[in-house]
Short mmCIF file of all heavy atoms in Angstrom, two decimals:
data_model
loop_
_atom_site.label_atom_id
_atom_site.label_comp_id
_atom_site.label_asym_id
_atom_site.label_seq_id
_atom_site.Cartn_x
_atom_site.Cartn_y
_atom_site.Cartn_z
N CYS Z 78 -5.75 66.40 -25.41
CA CYS Z 78 -6.67 66.99 -26.40
C CYS Z 78 -7.70 67.90 -25.74
O CYS Z 78 -8.01 68.99 -26.24
CB CYS Z 78 -7.36 65.89 -27.19
SG CYS Z 78 -6.27 65.00 -28.32
N HIS Z 79 -8.23 67.46 -24.63
CA HIS Z 79 -9.21 68.28 -23.92
C HIS Z 79 -8.59 69.59 -23.42
O HIS Z 79 -9.24 70.64 -23.46
CB HIS Z 79 -9.80 67.50 -22.74
CG HIS Z 79 -10.79 66.46 -23.15
ND1 HIS Z 79 -12.05 66.77 -23.64
CD2 HIS Z 79 -10.72 65.10 -23.16
CE1 HIS Z 79 -12.71 65.66 -23.92
NE2 HIS Z 79 -11.92 64.62 -23.64
N GLN Z 80 -7.34 69.52 -22.99
CA GLN Z 80 -6.66 70.74 -22.54
C GLN Z 80 -6.45 71.70 -23.72
O GLN Z 80 -6.58 72.92 -23.56
CB GLN Z 80 -5.32 70.38 -21.91
CG GLN Z 80 -5.46 69.63 -20.59
CD GLN Z 80 -4.13 69.16 -20.04
OE1 GLN Z 80 -3.09 69.24 -20.70
NE2 GLN Z 80 -4.15 68.66 -18.81
N LEU Z 81 -6.14 71.15 -24.88
CA LEU Z 81 -5.97 71.99 -26.07
C LEU Z 81 -7.29 72.66 -26.45
O LEU Z 81 -7.33 73.85 -26.80
CB LEU Z 81 -5.45 71.16 -27.24
CG LEU Z 81 -3.98 70.72 -27.18
CD1 LEU Z 81 -3.67 69.78 -28.33
CD2 LEU Z 81 -3.05 71.93 -27.22
N ILE Z 82 -8.38 71.92 -26.40
CA ILE Z 82 -9.69 72.47 -26.75
C ILE Z 82 -10.08 73.59 -25.79
O ILE Z 82 -10.65 74.61 -26.18
CB ILE Z 82 -10.75 71.36 -26.76
CG1 ILE Z 82 -10.47 70.37 -27.90
CG2 ILE Z 82 -12.15 71.95 -26.93
CD1 ILE Z 82 -11.36 69.14 -27.90
N GLU Z 83 -9.75 73.41 -24.52
CA GLU Z 83 -10.06 74.45 -23.53
C GLU Z 83 -9.38 75.77 -23.87
O GLU Z 83 -9.95 76.85 -23.66
CB GLU Z 83 -9.62 73.98 -22.14
CG GLU Z 83 -10.50 72.89 -21.55
CD GLU Z 83 -9.99 72.42 -20.20
OE1 GLU Z 83 -8.97 72.99 -19.73
OE2 GLU Z 83 -10.59 71.51 -19.61
N ASN Z 84 -8.16 75.69 -24.38
CA ASN Z 84 -7.39 76.92 -24.65
C ASN Z 84 -7.52 77.43 -26.08
O ASN Z 84 -7.33 78.63 -26.32
CB ASN Z 84 -5.90 76.67 -24.35
CG ASN Z 84 -5.63 76.50 -22.87
OD1 ASN Z 84 -6.42 76.93 -22.03
ND2 ASN Z 84 -4.53 75.83 -22.55
N HIS Z 85 -7.85 76.55 -27.03
CA HIS Z 85 -7.86 76.96 -28.43
C HIS Z 85 -9.24 76.85 -29.08
O HIS Z 85 -9.37 77.10 -30.30
CB HIS Z 85 -6.83 76.13 -29.22
CG HIS Z 85 -5.42 76.37 -28.80
ND1 HIS Z 85 -4.64 77.37 -29.34
CD2 HIS Z 85 -4.66 75.75 -27.87
CE1 HIS Z 85 -3.44 77.34 -28.77
NE2 HIS Z 85 -3.42 76.36 -27.88
N ASN Z 86 -10.23 76.47 -28.33
CA ASN Z 86 -11.61 76.41 -28.82
C ASN Z 86 -11.72 75.61 -30.12
O ASN Z 86 -11.51 74.41 -30.13
CB ASN Z 86 -12.16 77.82 -28.98
CG ASN Z 86 -12.19 78.57 -27.66
OD1 ASN Z 86 -12.62 78.02 -26.65
ND2 ASN Z 86 -11.73 79.80 -27.67
N LEU Z 87 -12.02 76.28 -31.23
CA LEU Z 87 -12.21 75.61 -32.51
C LEU Z 87 -10.98 75.72 -33.42
O LEU Z 87 -11.06 75.46 -34.62
CB LEU Z 87 -13.44 76.19 -33.22
CG LEU Z 87 -14.76 76.02 -32.46
CD1 LEU Z 87 -15.91 76.66 -33.25
CD2 LEU Z 87 -15.06 74.55 -32.18
N PHE Z 88 -9.86 76.15 -32.87
CA PHE Z 88 -8.59 76.21 -33.60
C PHE Z 88 -8.66 77.11 -34.83
O PHE Z 88 -8.01 76.85 -35.84
CB PHE Z 88 -8.13 74.80 -34.01
CG PHE Z 88 -7.71 73.95 -32.84
CD1 PHE Z 88 -8.66 73.27 -32.09
CD2 PHE Z 88 -6.38 73.83 -32.50
CE1 PHE Z 88 -8.29 72.48 -31.01
CE2 PHE Z 88 -6.00 73.05 -31.41
CZ PHE Z 88 -6.96 72.37 -30.66
N GLU Z 89 -9.45 78.20 -34.73
CA GLU Z 89 -9.55 79.12 -35.87
C GLU Z 89 -8.21 79.77 -36.20
O GLU Z 89 -7.90 80.00 -37.38
CB GLU Z 89 -10.58 80.22 -35.58
CG GLU Z 89 -11.98 79.73 -35.29
CD GLU Z 89 -12.22 79.59 -33.80
OE1 GLU Z 89 -11.24 79.44 -33.05
OE2 GLU Z 89 -13.40 79.62 -33.40
N ASN Z 90 -7.40 80.02 -35.17
CA ASN Z 90 -6.14 80.72 -35.39
C ASN Z 90 -4.97 79.93 -34.80
O ASN Z 90 -3.94 80.50 -34.44
CB ASN Z 90 -6.19 82.12 -34.77
CG ASN Z 90 -5.09 83.03 -35.29
OD1 ASN Z 90 -4.81 83.07 -36.48
ND2 ASN Z 90 -4.43 83.74 -34.39
N SER Z 91 -5.13 78.62 -34.71
CA SER Z 91 -4.10 77.78 -34.09
C SER Z 91 -3.68 76.66 -35.04
O SER Z 91 -4.51 76.13 -35.79
CB SER Z 91 -4.62 77.18 -32.78
OG SER Z 91 -5.03 78.18 -31.88
N VAL Z 92 -2.40 76.31 -34.99
CA VAL Z 92 -1.87 75.23 -35.82
C VAL Z 92 -1.03 74.30 -34.95
O VAL Z 92 -0.50 74.70 -33.90
CB VAL Z 92 -1.01 75.77 -37.00
CG1 VAL Z 92 -1.85 76.67 -37.89
CG2 VAL Z 92 0.21 76.52 -36.47
N ILE Z 93 -0.89 73.06 -35.38
CA ILE Z 93 -0.13 72.05 -34.65
C ILE Z 93 1.04 71.59 -35.51
O ILE Z 93 0.85 71.20 -36.67
CB ILE Z 93 -1.02 70.86 -34.27
CG1 ILE Z 93 -2.14 71.32 -33.33
CG2 ILE Z 93 -0.20 69.75 -33.62
CD1 ILE Z 93 -3.15 70.23 -33.00
N LEU Z 94 2.25 71.60 -34.94
CA LEU Z 94 3.45 71.18 -35.66
C LEU Z 94 4.18 70.09 -34.87
O LEU Z 94 4.56 70.31 -33.71
CB LEU Z 94 4.40 72.36 -35.89
CG LEU Z 94 3.97 73.42 -36.89
CD1 LEU Z 94 5.04 74.52 -36.98
CD2 LEU Z 94 3.73 72.81 -38.27
N GLY Z 95 4.34 68.94 -35.49
CA GLY Z 95 5.12 67.87 -34.88
C GLY Z 95 6.59 68.04 -35.22
O GLY Z 95 6.95 68.28 -36.37
N ILE Z 96 7.46 67.91 -34.22
CA ILE Z 96 8.89 68.07 -34.42
C ILE Z 96 9.48 66.74 -34.87
O ILE Z 96 9.32 65.72 -34.20
CB ILE Z 96 9.57 68.55 -33.12
CG1 ILE Z 96 8.99 69.89 -32.67
CG2 ILE Z 96 11.09 68.68 -33.31
CD1 ILE Z 96 9.51 70.37 -31.34
N GLN Z 97 10.16 66.76 -36.00
CA GLN Z 97 10.80 65.56 -36.52
C GLN Z 97 11.97 65.14 -35.61
O GLN Z 97 12.63 65.98 -35.03
CB GLN Z 97 11.34 65.82 -37.94
CG GLN Z 97 10.30 66.03 -38.99
CD GLN Z 97 9.78 64.71 -39.55
OE1 GLN Z 97 9.90 63.65 -38.92
NE2 GLN Z 97 9.21 64.76 -40.74
N PRO Z 98 12.24 63.83 -35.45
CA PRO Z 98 11.52 62.75 -36.13
C PRO Z 98 10.41 62.09 -35.29
O PRO Z 98 9.48 61.54 -35.83
CB PRO Z 98 12.63 61.74 -36.40
CG PRO Z 98 13.56 61.91 -35.24
CD PRO Z 98 13.51 63.37 -34.86
N ARG Z 99 10.50 62.14 -33.97
CA ARG Z 99 9.57 61.37 -33.15
C ARG Z 99 8.32 62.13 -32.73
O ARG Z 99 7.31 61.53 -32.38
CB ARG Z 99 10.29 60.85 -31.89
CG ARG Z 99 11.52 60.02 -32.15
CD ARG Z 99 11.20 58.69 -32.75
NE ARG Z 99 10.49 57.80 -31.85
CZ ARG Z 99 10.14 56.56 -32.14
NH1 ARG Z 99 10.41 56.07 -33.35
NH2 ARG Z 99 9.48 55.80 -31.27
N GLY Z 100 8.40 63.44 -32.77
CA GLY Z 100 7.24 64.22 -32.35
C GLY Z 100 6.08 64.15 -33.31
O GLY Z 100 4.93 64.45 -32.93
N ILE Z 101 6.33 63.75 -34.55
CA ILE Z 101 5.26 63.72 -35.55
C ILE Z 101 4.23 62.64 -35.24
O ILE Z 101 3.06 62.77 -35.60
CB ILE Z 101 5.84 63.52 -36.96
CG1 ILE Z 101 6.54 62.16 -37.08
CG2 ILE Z 101 6.80 64.64 -37.32
CD1 ILE Z 101 7.00 61.83 -38.49
N PHE Z 102 4.63 61.58 -34.55
CA PHE Z 102 3.68 60.51 -34.21
C PHE Z 102 2.69 61.00 -33.16
O PHE Z 102 1.49 60.72 -33.24
CB PHE Z 102 4.43 59.27 -33.72
CG PHE Z 102 5.38 58.71 -34.72
CD1 PHE Z 102 6.74 58.78 -34.51
CD2 PHE Z 102 4.91 58.13 -35.89
CE1 PHE Z 102 7.64 58.26 -35.45
CE2 PHE Z 102 5.79 57.60 -36.83
CZ PHE Z 102 7.16 57.68 -36.60
N LEU Z 103 3.20 61.72 -32.17
CA LEU Z 103 2.31 62.28 -31.15
C LEU Z 103 1.40 63.35 -31.76
O LEU Z 103 0.20 63.39 -31.44
CB LEU Z 103 3.13 62.87 -30.01
CG LEU Z 103 2.35 63.56 -28.89
CD1 LEU Z 103 1.33 62.62 -28.27
CD2 LEU Z 103 3.31 64.09 -27.83
N ALA Z 104 1.95 64.18 -32.63
CA ALA Z 104 1.14 65.23 -33.27
C ALA Z 104 0.01 64.60 -34.09
O ALA Z 104 -1.13 65.09 -34.06
CB ALA Z 104 2.02 66.10 -34.16
N LYS Z 105 0.32 63.53 -34.80
CA LYS Z 105 -0.70 62.86 -35.61
C LYS Z 105 -1.81 62.29 -34.72
O LYS Z 105 -3.00 62.42 -35.04
CB LYS Z 105 -0.05 61.73 -36.42
CG LYS Z 105 -1.01 61.00 -37.34
CD LYS Z 105 -0.31 59.90 -38.11
CE LYS Z 105 -1.29 59.13 -39.00
NZ LYS Z 105 -0.60 58.03 -39.73
N ARG Z 106 -1.44 61.69 -33.59
CA ARG Z 106 -2.44 61.15 -32.67
C ARG Z 106 -3.31 62.26 -32.10
O ARG Z 106 -4.53 62.11 -31.97
CB ARG Z 106 -1.75 60.41 -31.53
CG ARG Z 106 -1.10 59.13 -31.94
CD ARG Z 106 -2.12 58.05 -32.25
NE ARG Z 106 -1.44 56.79 -32.49
CZ ARG Z 106 -1.10 55.95 -31.53
NH1 ARG Z 106 -1.42 56.22 -30.27
NH2 ARG Z 106 -0.46 54.85 -31.83
N ILE Z 107 -2.67 63.36 -31.76
CA ILE Z 107 -3.41 64.49 -31.20
C ILE Z 107 -4.44 65.01 -32.20
O ILE Z 107 -5.61 65.25 -31.87
CB ILE Z 107 -2.44 65.62 -30.78
CG1 ILE Z 107 -1.59 65.18 -29.58
CG2 ILE Z 107 -3.19 66.91 -30.49
CD1 ILE Z 107 -2.35 65.03 -28.30
N VAL Z 108 -4.02 65.18 -33.44
CA VAL Z 108 -4.92 65.68 -34.48
C VAL Z 108 -6.08 64.70 -34.71
O VAL Z 108 -7.24 65.11 -34.86
CB VAL Z 108 -4.15 65.95 -35.79
CG1 VAL Z 108 -5.11 66.29 -36.92
CG2 VAL Z 108 -3.15 67.08 -35.58
N GLU Z 109 -5.78 63.41 -34.73
CA GLU Z 109 -6.83 62.41 -34.93
C GLU Z 109 -7.86 62.45 -33.81
O GLU Z 109 -9.07 62.37 -34.06
CB GLU Z 109 -6.20 61.01 -35.01
CG GLU Z 109 -5.41 60.76 -36.29
CD GLU Z 109 -4.71 59.42 -36.29
OE1 GLU Z 109 -4.73 58.76 -35.22
OE2 GLU Z 109 -4.13 59.03 -37.32
N GLU Z 110 -7.39 62.58 -32.58
CA GLU Z 110 -8.31 62.65 -31.45
C GLU Z 110 -9.13 63.94 -31.47
O GLU Z 110 -10.32 63.94 -31.12
CB GLU Z 110 -7.54 62.54 -30.13
CG GLU Z 110 -7.00 61.16 -29.83
CD GLU Z 110 -8.10 60.15 -29.56
OE1 GLU Z 110 -9.17 60.56 -29.06
OE2 GLU Z 110 -7.90 58.96 -29.86
N LEU Z 111 -8.51 65.03 -31.86
CA LEU Z 111 -9.23 66.31 -31.94
C LEU Z 111 -10.34 66.25 -32.99
O LEU Z 111 -11.43 66.79 -32.79
CB LEU Z 111 -8.26 67.44 -32.26
CG LEU Z 111 -7.33 67.88 -31.13
CD1 LEU Z 111 -6.31 68.90 -31.65
CD2 LEU Z 111 -8.11 68.46 -29.95
N LYS Z 112 -10.07 65.58 -34.10
CA LYS Z 112 -11.08 65.48 -35.15
C LYS Z 112 -12.27 64.64 -34.71
O LYS Z 112 -13.39 64.84 -35.18
CB LYS Z 112 -10.44 64.89 -36.42
CG LYS Z 112 -9.50 65.86 -37.14
CD LYS Z 112 -8.93 65.24 -38.39
CE LYS Z 112 -8.04 66.23 -39.14
NZ LYS Z 112 -7.44 65.63 -40.36
N ILE Z 113 -12.03 63.67 -33.83
CA ILE Z 113 -13.14 62.88 -33.30
C ILE Z 113 -14.05 63.76 -32.44
O ILE Z 113 -15.29 63.64 -32.49
CB ILE Z 113 -12.60 61.69 -32.47
CG1 ILE Z 113 -11.87 60.71 -33.39
CG2 ILE Z 113 -13.74 60.98 -31.73
CD1 ILE Z 113 -11.18 59.57 -32.65
N ARG Z 114 -13.45 64.64 -31.68
CA ARG Z 114 -14.21 65.51 -30.79
C ARG Z 114 -14.72 66.77 -31.49
O ARG Z 114 -15.71 67.35 -31.06
CB ARG Z 114 -13.34 65.90 -29.59
CG ARG Z 114 -13.18 64.76 -28.61
CD ARG Z 114 -11.90 64.82 -27.81
NE ARG Z 114 -11.83 63.67 -26.90
CZ ARG Z 114 -11.51 62.45 -27.29
NH1 ARG Z 114 -11.22 62.20 -28.57
NH2 ARG Z 114 -11.48 61.45 -26.43
N LEU Z 115 -14.04 67.17 -32.55
CA LEU Z 115 -14.47 68.35 -33.33
C LEU Z 115 -14.55 67.95 -34.80
O LEU Z 115 -13.74 68.37 -35.63
CB LEU Z 115 -13.45 69.49 -33.14
CG LEU Z 115 -13.18 69.94 -31.69
CD1 LEU Z 115 -12.01 70.91 -31.66
CD2 LEU Z 115 -14.42 70.57 -31.07
N PRO Z 116 -15.54 67.13 -35.16
CA PRO Z 116 -15.60 66.56 -36.52
C PRO Z 116 -15.77 67.61 -37.63
O PRO Z 116 -15.36 67.35 -38.76
CB PRO Z 116 -16.80 65.61 -36.46
CG PRO Z 116 -17.63 66.12 -35.33
CD PRO Z 116 -16.68 66.70 -34.34
#
Side-chain angles (χ1 to χ4, degrees):
C78 290
H79 285 289
Q80 292 174 351
L81 287 174
I82 294 173
E83 288 177 2
N84 291 338
H85 295 272
N86 298 315
L87 299 179
F88 291 83
E89 301 95 337
N90 196 44
S91 303
V92 300
I93 297 175
L94 289 180
I96 301 175
Q97 292 276 21
R99 303 291 292 182
I101 63 174
F102 300 111
L103 177 57
K105 182 180 178 182
R106 290 288 187 86
I107 292 291
V108 172
E109 289 175 352
E110 287 293 330
L111 287 173
K112 288 181 178 178
I113 294 174
R114 286 153 180 77
L115 304 171

